Amino acid sequence: MWAHINDRCPIISITNAQNKHFWADHELEQANQQDDDHDLVTLKKEMKAELFEIVANQTGKIFRPDVLTIVWARRFASYKRADLVLRDKERFLKMVNNTKYPVQIIWAGKPYPMDYGSVNTFNEIITFNRGRANCATLVGYEIMLSRQLKRGSDVWLNTPRRPHEASGTSGMTAAMNGSVNVSINDGWIPEFARHGENAFVTPTADHTTMDIESIDNFDHENIMSVLENEVIPAYYDNPSKWVEIMKNSMRDVVPYFDSNRMADEYYQKLYNSEYDASKRIMVQPAAKEVGAS
């Protein structure tokens, strides 16, 4: 990029981050630091109950705190594929209607008014969820609703069409609140996720050789397989493992994905650096002597 510009400075990367002090529930964080699994689980159920009050107020549906709750919530954009799990509706309904392993799912977000594809997707999801007791769509994604969704979810579902996701910071704040990321391997996820240990990540489609339809089919198959065969059984059949994944997620997301690190990197790598054209690298400026003008 910019190869035609002489003496250009390098393009460097600084990974995005979120403010833990604002987003993370401090009681939940304390329980995790103290390895108090009982308090961790109890607090999580209380946070779910708070979210479900919003679900009831907006939709009239009554969700249960003891049921695995999946949330897909963010800006509605076509590449984020809010409806990826609905590509095979029969399979999806079989998953969410399993009485042995019950599942609740919430969609929330806002499409841009002129993004007609995303508006249609949003409306189709609302229509699909109508009359389904364990599927809800919340209108809006304001900051306090976003916070409640991350606190009250067990799974934070992330389904962008790779490689279009630049970062995807909602998953960071979800992880800070014990919500386990289940994701396509894009955005910030490759820097964070350890499959089955602090998150669940699907195999990667080859976007250089596959067309969009093939990629979407590939990703749908893999996201459903991970949910059906790994996530749901872990939550119900191996609760101690699930709690360990929650704890790992909360511990691994900080400090690297906290905004303190990001701000420091911007200062050290970008604002407080100079470009050495002879070496084509960014270097720290030499410290000035005390009293030097």
Side-chain angles (χ1 to χ4, degrees):
M1 185 179 286
W2 312 115
H4 60 289
I5 304 297
N6 293 327
D7 295 330
R8 64 193 179 279
C9 66
I11 297 173
I12 64 172
S13 63
I14 297 175
T15 299
N16 216 336
Q18 286 281 12
N19 187 332
K20 185 197 80 169
H21 181 72
F22 175 80
W23 287 103
D25 181 86
H26 301 302
E27 289 185 77
L28 195 73
E29 182 183 17
Q30 185 177 30
N32 189 29
Q33 290 173 348
Q34 295 174 350
D35 271 330
D36 190 334
D37 292 359
H38 177 269
D39 275 6
L40 193 76
V41 172
T42 300
L43 286 165
K44 190 64 178 179
K45 286 185 177 180
E46 291 174 0
M47 291 156 67
K48 290 170 74 174
E50 292 172 3
L51 171 61
F52 298 163
E53 288 184 14
I54 299 173
V55 173
N57 287 336
Q58 282 205 24
T59 71
K61 298 179 180 182
I62 307 301
F63 277 21
R64 292 165 41 196
D66 61 326
V67 171
L68 175 68
T69 302
I70 301 170
V71 169
W72 190 105
R74 54 189 50 82
R75 174 173 60 90
F76 262 72
S78 296
Y79 80 88
K80 291 180 181 288
R81 301 185 297 184
D83 58 348
L84 184 66
V85 293
L86 298 178
R87 286 181 72 83
D88 183 341
K89 292 182 175 61
E90 183 177 348
R91 182 176 181 179
F92 173 81
L93 289 173
K94 183 179 179 181
M95 179 182 75
V96 298
N97 291 331
N98 187 331
T99 55
K100 182 181 179 182
Y101 299 122
V103 173
Q104 299 165 157
I105 184 165
I106 301 168
W107 281 270
K110 285 184 176 181
Y112 290 119
M114 302 300 288
D115 184 352
Y116 299 117
S118 295
V119 170
N120 288 338
T121 299
F122 187 79
N123 290 336
E124 287 169 2
I125 292 172
I126 290 176
T127 300
F128 178 81
N129 288 342
R130 191 170 294 143
R132 303 190 192 282
N134 55 347
C135 301
T137 311
L138 302 184
V139 177
Y141 192 52
E142 290 74 20
I143 196 164
M144 296 314 295
L145 175 58
S146 172
R147 193 176 187 181
Q148 289 297 120
L149 287 160
K150 290 154 186 175
R151 286 160 49 91
S153 56
D154 295 305
V155 167
W156 195 257
L157 188 62
N158 183 41
T159 53
R161 185 180 293 117
R162 192 176 182 272
H164 294 283
E165 187 60 78
S167 182
T169 57
S170 65
M172 300 174 188
T173 50
M176 291 174 186
N177 289 284
S179 183
V180 176
N181 279 269
V182 176
S183 181
I184 304 298
N185 199 25
D186 198 14
W188 75 292
I189 288 293
E191 297 179 62
F192 166 76
R194 293 179 289 119
H195 182 79
E197 296 181 35
N198 68 359
F200 293 88
V201 186
T202 62
T204 301
D206 185 355
H207 67 274
T208 64
T209 61
M210 299 168 68
D211 59 30
I212 288 178
E213 184 72 12
S214 299
I215 290 172
D216 288 353
N217 287 335
F218 179 91
D219 286 341
H220 167 263
E221 171 59 35
N222 284 289
I223 205 82
M224 291 298 294
S225 179
V226 166
L227 288 169
E228 293 165 340
N229 301 317
E230 298 185 62
V231 174
I232 296 172
Y235 183 85
Y236 285 110
D237 294 339
N238 198 344
S240 60
K241 177 183 178 181
W242 184 263
V243 171
E244 193 62 30
I245 294 170
M246 284 176 58
K247 291 161 65 176
N248 288 339
S249 179
M250 294 174 69
R251 290 167 178 164
D252 292 349
V253 77
V254 177
Y256 188 74
F257 298 100
D258 179 35
S259 55
N260 286 341
R261 185 274 312 157
M262 180 185 70
D264 183 66
E265 283 197 5
Y266 268 103
Y267 178 75
Q268 297 294 342
K269 293 184 176 181
L270 198 62
Y271 303 139
N272 194 39
S273 297
E274 296 175 352
Y275 179 55
D276 185 335
S278 64
K279 298 179 181 178
R280 292 194 172 186
I281 58 172
M282 301 293 285
V283 296
Q284 297 293 314
K288 292 183 178 180
E289 295 181 9
V290 176
S293 58

